[in-house]
Amino acid sequence: MSDPKAKKPVDDVTGTETTGHTWDGIEELNSPLPRWWLWTFYATVVWGIAYTIAYPAWPMVSSATSGILGYSTRGEVAQDIDAFREASAARDSQLASADLATLSENEDLYRYAVSSGAAVFRNNCSQCHGSGAAGAKGYPNLLDDDWLWGGNHEAIAYTVRHGIRNEADDDARYSEMPAFGEILEEGEIPMLVEYVRGLAGAEHDAAMAEGAAELYADNCAACHGDNGMGDREQGAPNLTDAIWLYGGDRDALTETITYSRYGVMPPWGPPRLTEAQVQAVATYVHQLGGGEADPAE
């Protein structure tokens, strides 16, 4: 075994001590690292230690060390949010108590409502209604003029504030369609499907539809109306416009009539959203293209 204290051989060409390692006759020089590199490395070590002391760094069981400066990016963001809210407090107060029917007369407040309402929509509504508000199967399209409960400013705000068919808000809009699979005789549902398709102007079996006229009058007209145009007071859809929330083909209509539908929308009023945010998102949705005129005073 070689003596580790023995002097290392020196390379004849460079005069530099070697490590004693040789590969294919090539010796490895034991060249020292540049001083600038060493000092830079030492500085980064010192900086790293100082950083872990000053800032949050080491993970613990349920949190992390907070650092002697107590800094956090979450706290910085919270400060920015608080500053924005403080700057917007006056306009939010105005918006919370504004009459949405006349809001457009205040151009500055209206623009603020639309822009802030767009942010509220993206954060809270787009998951169901889509980023462009075009909806999906079971989730209403907010761009058209087909409104189950009404599409003027106040009607939209009420729906946002209280939701639909939920158990969290006593003022939620509520309607319930019976499951006619438990009520009608076998063979009657296909006849009703043809009748409803006929109301919407879709291709249908006229003979079957004619035979279902009495069935419709006895079971459906009380909510959807004799003419099938629905009733907003009850949240009963218009069956004549060919706009279907769950689909208007025979299979979809058969499922709807047999088992009924029961979509739920949570209430978004305080404390979930502020009243100003409810007013803002109602204004945003109304101006998307399908908003209806407000009732005359």
Side-chain angles (χ1 to χ4, degrees):
M1 182 179 293
S2 61
D3 183 0
K5 294 182 179 180
K7 189 175 181 180
K8 302 291 184 182
V10 175
D11 178 60
D12 294 334
V13 177
T14 62
T16 303
E17 187 181 83
T18 68
T19 64
H21 300 155
T22 303
W23 291 272
D24 294 333
I26 301 174
E27 293 185 313
E28 180 185 13
L29 301 182
N30 190 19
S31 301
L33 293 168
R35 289 296 181 93
W36 66 266
W37 192 97
L38 281 173
W39 284 114
T40 301
F41 174 72
Y42 296 149
T44 59
V45 171
V46 172
W47 180 88
I49 294 172
Y51 184 94
T52 62
I53 295 173
Y55 292 95
W58 298 105
M60 309 295 283
V61 175
S62 58
S63 61
T65 56
S66 59
I68 60 176
L69 297 182
Y71 171 82
S72 77
T73 52
R74 288 178 181 271
E76 190 172 44
V77 171
Q79 289 177 357
D80 290 343
I81 292 174
D82 289 342
F84 174 81
R85 286 176 175 168
E86 184 177 349
S88 305
R91 282 189 292 190
D92 283 340
S93 178
Q94 281 184 281
L95 183 56
S97 58
D99 177 6
L100 296 183
T102 59
L103 183 62
S104 60
E105 297 173 8
N106 185 335
E107 187 176 348
D108 179 65
L109 188 60
Y110 179 77
R111 285 202 307 267
Y112 174 74
V114 172
S115 61
S116 60
V120 172
F121 184 90
R122 287 192 294 270
N123 288 334
N124 301 280
C125 314
S126 61
Q127 292 84 351
C128 292
H129 295 284
S131 58
K137 184 178 180 180
Y139 301 99
N141 181 351
L142 304 179
L143 303 176
D144 60 25
D145 58 0
D146 189 66
W147 298 93
L148 192 60
W149 302 94
N152 61 52
H153 283 100
E154 286 302 327
I156 295 172
Y158 187 97
T159 299
V160 173
R161 192 177 292 115
H162 301 292
I164 296 172
R165 302 186 195 93
N166 63 72
E167 298 180 358
D169 193 317
D170 292 338
D171 294 319
R173 297 192 184 281
Y174 194 90
S175 65
E176 185 171 359
M177 175 180 171
F180 283 102
E182 302 172 0
I183 299 171
L184 300 178
E185 299 293 332
E186 184 178 357
E188 291 180 328
I189 289 179
M191 296 171 64
L192 268 179
V193 168
E194 297 305 316
Y195 186 88
V196 171
R197 285 179 59 82
L199 287 175
E203 177 274 323
H204 64 286
D205 185 315
M208 290 182 69
E210 185 178 353
E214 186 175 346
L215 277 175
Y216 178 87
D218 291 343
N219 296 279
C220 313
C223 294
H224 295 285
D226 293 335
N227 56 8
M229 296 187 68
D231 181 3
R232 285 182 172 179
E233 293 299 318
Q234 302 182 71
N238 181 352
L239 304 178
T240 68
D241 58 11
I243 298 176
W244 303 99
L245 188 57
Y246 293 93
D249 59 81
R250 288 181 172 86
D251 288 341
L253 289 175
T254 298
E255 183 176 351
T256 296
I257 296 172
T258 303
Y259 303 107
S260 82
R261 304 289 186 177
Y262 197 81
V264 175
M265 174 180 169
W268 290 97
R272 183 171 283 181
L273 295 178
T274 66
E275 184 59 25
Q277 289 175 315
V278 170
Q279 297 269 80
V281 76
T283 302
Y284 172 75
V285 169
H286 185 273
Q287 59 83 50
L288 286 175
E292 296 176 340
D294 296 288
E297 294 290 338

